[in-house]
Amino acid sequence: MSLLAENVIPGIHGKVFGTNAMKENELIEIKTRLLKLEGINDIVLNIEIFPREFTIYTNKIVSIKDIENAVKSVGFHAIPK
């Protein structure tokens, strides 16, 4: 695999993830958990589409596996797009 396929790199574009969380409070719980990871600056939630999405912006390289595991810890899945 490549650096881009396995990590979220810093930049203005961020990385979009799909999730099976449906309710706004579930997405907020995911956002709160992800913001605890080192290197994540901001998370933008998109609750207007199905499946729900969130975009992660970082200030350093963050592993997609770390993001997936953090989301799994609150009971949902994160699928990079």
Side-chain angles (χ1 to χ4, degrees), residues 6 14-15 21 23 37 63 70 72:
E6 296 177 353
K15 179 76 171 173
K23 299 177 184 172
L37 291 177
S63 169
K72 282 181 188 175

Side-chain angles (χ1 to χ4, degrees), residues 6 13 15 21 27 33 35 47 52 55-56 65 69:
E6 296 177 353
H13 300 293
K15 179 76 171 173
L27 291 165
R33 178 65 183 102
L35 286 172
I47 60 173
R52 306 295 190 246
T55 305
I56 296 179
K65 287 289 181 197
N69 290 335

